[in-house]
Amino acid sequence: MPPKRTPKANEDTPSNRHIQEQADRPASPSAEDQEGQRKATIPPELLAKLLKNFMEDEGTKISGAATKTVGEYMHLFLTEAVYRAVSNRRDGDPWAKTNAGLMLEVDDLEKITPQLLLDF
Amino acid sequence: MSAPDDAEQELTLHLTDYQRLKSALWYHVGKLVDAACLDLNVNATPQFIGSLTELAWVQFDNIAKDLENFAKHANRSTISTADVLLLARKNPDLHGLLQKVVDGEAAARAAKQAEKSKR
């Protein structure tokens, strides 16, 4: 089971921790692999099914290593979306820098989507 | 069973397949966003996760068709890691990160092969 989000618990964490995390930010989407095992990834079976679903030619196959690479690609895509949404919100709103319990809205995603799609 | 019945069954089957795929993606996007949010000490609304799922869905559509055409262009019917690397041709940083995964994957397979031949 995935850990449930607890908004209250997040607000309790000391704010200096988040400043430290902000400093690590540029490298952090990939920094997770240093731990070896990742907390959340899209399973290869789902990736293969999704790709098959969108393909026009039924006969096209996909190798296992390629599926894993697509998994990494989508992982980076989704994590990058969250990181950009947060960084965009914090840039626009100086008060948000000190606010640990920030809520991401659809508006935040809308603002970063065009550049995100150009970069991926 | 008559022919129209078959067609109808296929249609509902297809529809649920689509729905099941999308909800599976939704679930995993949710988990991923939660993990990222935990690192950043923020929270995401369910609407945010839903929109991000929609975005990922469209991105999957795009890359699946791209990959298929890349493989076809190379006269292959199987998509290889080289095709996936080609997806990131416009973004050198992304290309580098994917290259690392591909290299790791190749090394793991080589190690496995070496072990097999040793026995």
Side-chain angles (χ1 to χ4, degrees), chain B residues 9-117:
Chain B
Q9 206 177 24
E10 205 170 293
L11 194 72
T12 51
L13 213 75
H14 184 74
L15 201 71
T16 48
D17 254 11
Y18 163 86
Q19 284 170 336
R20 283 173 62 203
L21 266 179
K22 206 165 202 173
S23 34
L25 182 63
W26 191 306
Y27 170 71
H28 287 288
V29 170
K31 277 217 297 194
L32 252 156
V33 170
D34 278 352
C37 282
L38 219 62
D39 290 343
L40 289 168
N41 208 7
V42 296
N43 289 301
T45 56
Q47 288 87 341
F48 180 90
I49 294 171
S51 330
L52 193 54
T53 305
E54 209 61 46
L55 194 62
W57 185 262
V58 176
Q59 190 71 4
F60 262 117
D61 192 349
N62 279 331
I63 65 168
K65 288 188 174 105
D66 276 353
L67 288 172
E68 192 179 19
N69 286 316
F70 290 159
K72 219 176 250 171
H73 187 71
N75 287 324
R76 278 187 273 106
S77 66
T78 306
I79 294 163
S80 72
T81 47
D83 300 322
V84 186
L85 285 174
L86 209 53
L87 275 180
R89 67 194 177 284
K90 287 182 216 160
N91 188 339
D93 293 330
L94 182 62
H95 191 278
L97 286 170
L98 291 183
Q99 183 75 59
K100 258 203 281 187
V101 175
V102 171
D103 291 346
E105 210 54 48
R109 217 177 47 192
K112 223 180 206 173
Q113 209 113 57
E115 190 136 318
K116 224 182 215 170
S117 61

Side-chain angles (χ1 to χ4, degrees), chain A residues 1-34:
Chain A
M1 283 300 276
K4 274 271 170 211
R5 252 183 305 140
T6 46
K8 293 271 156 56
N10 277 351
E11 277 162 4
D12 290 339
T13 44
S15 56
N16 56 337
R17 202 191 126 211
H18 112 219
I19 291 163
Q20 202 182 17
E21 265 167 7
Q22 239 184 341
D24 300 338
R25 218 155 16 137
S28 81
S30 65
E32 281 168 78
D33 354 25
Q34 286 165 353

